[in-house]
Amino acid sequence: MKPLPILCLWLLFMASGFSLWSQEKWISDNEMQFKIKIPPNYSQSKIQDGSDKILTVMSPDQNIFVRVRAMKATAQFTTEILQQVFEQNIIKGAQRIMNEAGDLHGIPARASAYSWNVEGSDVILAVYYIVQNNFAYVVWAAVPKNQAQHYSAIADGIIDSFDLLTPSSSGTFAGISNNSGGSGQVALIACNLGMQVDNNYRVNSNVQTFTAHTHKIHLGFSYRGNTYATPFAFKWYSRTHNQLVQEYFLNTPNENGGHGYGFISNNGNPWPQGKYYVEIWHNGKMLGSTDFEIQ
């Protein structure tokens, strides 16, 4: 299971309110096979550091710093080695306050949190170490410790959008199981919403009403047909606010049918009350939708 958002885990307070960002933009790197979503007013820069590529994202007030360092990985690469090199060379002197094996919405990762003093200022770091598909990634964010109450949820949301452009080689990417179904045209067989999933990322309930403090709303579905060439798209809407809340994509194995999983998170802040719905799309066609309500 994915660990709790790292920045939030070490803070007692969270920013109030929940932003319905509808104009976020994706940044993709086809060479290093990743993408990440950022708010439209954030600055971005890309540099080459030897064979590593570094994407840096900064909020307008410079209080949220997010960076992705991507590199080619050999067979000897592990997340432990990646972490050791990063700690010794990039964040030297940082004090590790959390470290555990987990995943970043289905991508196997080592998740860590740090306290770090940079030029006399204390900051909190959230770091995910990922080794997948012959690439290694360090996805990390920094916020000022004295401003973390206000900025941590936003930084966590940006990190949580990080995704691979190719499926994870572990077979656990995005909660896809290896069930086989029919072949031919892609179609939904079943779709459930719930507040919990099992170890196979299956939603074993069908909940239509959630409280404003529900951290994650899980979506599980079964499908038939081979969707390997084109990913699924999930579009979460607020019917009450007439607004797209979030959209993301799900790559699947090269199999005839299976089980898919996705979720939407409020990053620890209360949901705006109202009526919502989620649509599941494939190859430009909406396969189905389901309604739910936040009370």
Side-chain angles (χ1 to χ4, degrees):
M1 298 293 293
K2 180 193 168 188
L4 290 174
I6 300 175
L7 292 177
C8 300
L9 189 63
W10 293 96
L11 301 170
L12 296 178
F13 302 99
M14 297 294 297
S16 61
F18 176 73
S19 297
L20 298 177
W21 290 344
S22 61
Q23 297 180 348
E24 293 173 304
K25 58 183 178 181
W26 283 104
I27 302 173
S28 298
D29 190 308
N30 292 327
E31 179 188 2
M32 293 299 179
Q33 290 291 293
F34 76 87
K35 64 180 181 178
I36 194 167
K37 187 186 292 185
I38 69 171
N41 60 338
Y42 278 40
S43 65
Q44 57 173 296
S45 64
K46 297 180 181 180
I47 64 171
Q48 193 85 26
D49 183 14
S51 60
D52 298 359
K53 293 185 72 173
I54 301 173
L55 167 68
T56 301
V57 174
M58 187 82 69
S59 64
D61 60 9
Q62 299 186 347
N63 281 314
I64 300 175
F65 168 99
V66 178
R67 176 169 282 178
V68 179
R69 176 179 284 263
M71 65 206 79
K72 295 289 182 66
T74 65
Q76 289 73 36
F77 257 69
T78 65
T79 55
E80 289 81 4
I81 291 175
L82 186 63
Q83 180 178 27
Q84 181 179 4
V85 172
F86 186 74
E87 289 178 347
Q88 292 178 351
N89 294 278
I90 306 300
I91 56 170
K92 189 174 181 179
Q95 180 182 359
R96 190 195 298 169
I97 53 180
M98 191 200 82
N99 190 47
E100 61 182 47
D103 64 89
L104 184 56
H105 62 75
I107 306 172
R110 176 161 292 277
S112 301
Y114 303 84
S115 177
W116 194 25
N117 186 278
V118 183
E119 298 180 352
S121 299
D122 291 326
V123 298
I124 298 293
L125 307 181
V127 187
Y128 284 96
Y129 303 97
I130 299 168
V131 178
Q132 285 292 313
N133 303 330
N134 300 316
F135 289 96
Y137 308 93
V138 181
V139 186
W140 60 297
V143 298
K145 191 173 184 178
N146 62 357
Q147 294 290 323
Q149 171 184 342
H150 183 67
Y151 293 109
S152 62
I154 302 173
D156 275 327
I158 297 172
I159 287 182
D160 196 54
S161 73
F162 176 86
D163 213 344
L164 305 178
L165 297 184
T166 54
S168 164
S169 61
S170 71
T172 62
F173 176 62
I176 292 294
S177 69
N178 292 323
N179 294 338
S180 85
S183 59
Q185 187 176 6
V186 176
L188 290 183
I189 299 173
C191 179
N192 292 330
L193 293 174
M195 291 183 285
Q196 294 181 330
V197 293
D198 62 19
N199 291 334
N200 294 314
Y201 292 90
R202 292 184 178 275
V203 179
N204 295 320
S205 59
N206 192 10
V207 180
Q208 307 299 146
T209 303
F210 301 87
T211 69
H213 295 282
T214 302
H215 176 58
K216 283 184 182 178
I217 298 173
H218 301 274
L219 169 68
F221 64 95
S222 298
Y223 66 95
R224 67 169 179 263
N226 194 315
T227 62
Y228 179 71
T230 307
F232 283 107
F234 303 107
K235 300 180 182 182
W236 300 79
Y237 291 92
S238 168
R239 194 181 301 278
T240 299
H241 300 91
N242 192 28
Q243 192 170 19
L244 175 66
V245 179
Q246 189 178 89
E247 179 179 3
Y248 59 89
F249 300 89
L250 172 68
N251 293 294
T252 57
N254 190 6
E255 298 173 353
N256 288 320
H259 179 75
Y261 164 73
F263 69 87
I264 188 170
S265 171
N266 67 1
N267 293 317
N269 301 309
W271 293 97
Q273 295 182 356
K275 296 183 182 297
Y276 294 77
Y277 63 100
V278 56
E279 297 176 344
I280 302 175
W281 289 71
H282 180 260
N283 200 24
K285 177 184 177 182
M286 190 180 74
L287 303 182
S289 67
T290 184
D291 289 85
F292 61 99
E293 187 173 357
I294 305 293
Q295 294 184 346

